[in-house]
Amino acid sequence: MIEIDGLAEVVLNVRDPARALDFYEQLLGLERISPEGQPGPIFLRAGSATATVPSLLVLVPLPVDAASFTPPRTLHHLALTIPAVAFEAARTALTGAGLEVRDGRHPVLAVRTMYVTDPDGNEVEFISPELAG
């Protein structure tokens, strides 16, 4: 059996890189680690997979004439963890940005979750433990 010790990256195709960056970098606060203006994929840090490899979200710009996405899409959703103390502030920021926030509960981890849809139609989940009462 192969030993896996973290999730290194999730790669998303995007139609409008500037719009996607506004969502993932400006609204969600992910750190861009690829140089500004570098052609090709845009790499954003989304935490740490291991001590030496960050967890990455990679945005791959599609050509203007690329075919439209059609359901069902290959990616069901991506999930990002957020600290318990930041959960409600994240909800406020998401709704303040005009996004519909859908609440949930993780079916296995029994922690709270919420979901939004990014500008390219991908579902983004936020997973957070409950605050101690």
Side-chain angles (χ1 to χ4, degrees), residues 23-44:
F23 180 82
Y24 286 104
E25 187 178 31
Q26 301 303 316
L27 179 60
L28 300 189
L30 301 186
E31 174 193 1
R32 183 182 184 146
I33 62 173
S34 55
E36 188 81 30
Q38 174 179 310
I42 302 164
F43 291 82
L44 302 164

Side-chain angles (χ1 to χ4, degrees), residues 70-131:
T70 58
R73 299 192 50 184
T74 303
L75 176 75
H76 185 278
H77 73 274
L78 68 102
L80 303 168
T81 59
I82 55 175
V85 297
F87 193 80
E88 290 307 321
R91 178 193 310 284
T92 300
L94 294 166
T95 57
L99 296 168
E100 175 192 345
V101 176
R102 301 173 303 279
D103 288 304
R105 193 132 192 97
H106 195 280
V108 175
L109 302 176
V111 295
R112 62 189 170 169
T113 64
M114 61 182 160
Y115 303 83
V116 298
T117 302
D118 82 359
D120 285 286
N122 297 299
E123 185 174 72
V124 180
E125 177 182 14
F126 302 90
I127 299 176
S128 179
E130 305 287 339
L131 283 173

Side-chain angles (χ1 to χ4, degrees), residues 44-70:
L44 302 164
R45 180 187 309 272
S48 296
T50 70
T52 57
V53 176
S55 293
L56 299 173
L57 176 63
V58 183
L59 306 175
V60 177
L62 291 172
V64 176
D65 60 349
S68 296
F69 297 129
T70 58

